[in-house]
Amino acid sequence: MAMGFGDSARDRRVRVQGEPVESYPRLAPEVNRGAVRRITVVGEEILRRRCREVTEFGTPELAKLIDDMFATNQVAEGAGLAANQVDVDLQLFVWDITDEWGVRHVGHIANPALDEVAAEHRRLVEEPEGCLSVPGPYRVVPRLDHAIVRGRDKDGNPLVIEGRGYFARCLQHETDHLHGRLYLDRLAQRERKAALREMKDSQDKVFARRASVAERLGK
C-alpha cells in the first residue's frame, strides 16, 4: 500500500507486532539487513491469484524475505507490502506506517485472515488509497474503519493485530493482495481505466524516485 493519510492520545508509543515499545529507530532493523527487490506491477499474473500459505516457519529464507520486503517498502516510501508484490507466492505482508493519531505501527504477518465484522458494527470510511504495484494514482476507496487480522509471525507464533483508521485500511489492503485483489478492483470501470492511464503517465517518475531513495540508503 502507498502512503496516504482520530483517540490514541493516551499512548503514542511505537507498536511492533502490535505491542508498544519504549523506543524504536527511525529505520526498522529489517531495512538495514534487507535487499531491495523489484516491485511487481498491475498486469503481472502473480498479483491476480491467491497466494500459498506459509508452511515453514523459523527459517533463514523466511527471515530474509521479510527483511527484503521491509527494505523494498522503505525505498518505495510505502506503508505496507505483500509478498506477491516482490514476486513471491506466499501469504505474507509487512507494514511500517504512522496512523492519524501519530502512532507508528511496524510488523509482519503470515497467513493473515480478517475477522468478520457484524453489519451493525460496520462503518465504512472513504479515503484516498494508492498501491506500490499501481505506481502513481490514488483513488477514493471505501474501507472499514476498524480491522482485526489473525495469523502467525515468522517463527510460527499466533499473532493478532488490530488497526483503526489508516492502519485498518492498510491491513485490509494488504490482505486483499494475498487473495489476488487490487484496490483498482473496488473502483467503477471508468475510474479504474482513468487510474491506469494516470499510472502510465506517472510511473517513470515514481520509479526514478524509488531509485533515488535506494541510492541514498545505499541499497
Side-chain angles (χ1 to χ4, degrees), residues 99-113:
D99 65 24
E100 299 95 315
W101 301 278
V103 178
R104 183 181 176 190
H105 303 266
V106 183
H108 70 272
I109 191 168
N111 304 337

Side-chain angles (χ1 to χ4, degrees), residues 12-32:
R12 298 289 182 89
R13 288 179 294 176
V14 176
R15 266 65 167 178
V16 178
Q17 297 296 90
E19 296 296 328
V21 297
E22 294 304 323
S23 64
Y24 199 76
R26 186 182 67 83
L27 288 181
E30 294 91 340
V31 173
N32 294 320

Side-chain angles (χ1 to χ4, degrees), residues 117-126 143-146 172:
V117 179
E120 61 269 25
H121 299 302
R122 293 172 65 89
R123 179 174 178 267
L124 289 175
V125 177
E126 296 189 355
R143 295 276 190 187
L144 293 173
D145 72 339
H146 178 225
Q172 293 167 82

Side-chain angles (χ1 to χ4, degrees), residues 147-166:
I148 296 175
V149 66
R150 301 174 190 271
R152 296 191 179 273
D153 69 12
K154 62 184 176 62
D155 297 313
N157 301 309
L159 187 62
V160 180
I161 301 295
E162 181 175 9
R164 295 184 182 276
Y166 182 49

Side-chain angles (χ1 to χ4, degrees), residues 1-2 38-44 46-47 76 80-87 130-137 173-174 177 181-184 196 199 203 206-207 210:
M1 181 176 173
R38 184 186 71 86
I39 296 177
T40 52
V41 177
V42 59
E44 297 187 45
I46 195 169
L47 292 173
L81 186 72
N84 56 356
Q85 291 183 275
V86 292
D87 205 25
C131 179
L132 300 182
S133 290
V134 188
H173 178 110
E174 302 305 335
H177 268 304
R181 296 192 294 264
L182 300 170
Y183 86 90
L184 296 175
L196 289 171
M199 184 192 83
Q203 64 181 0
V206 173
F207 294 155
R210 292 176 186 175

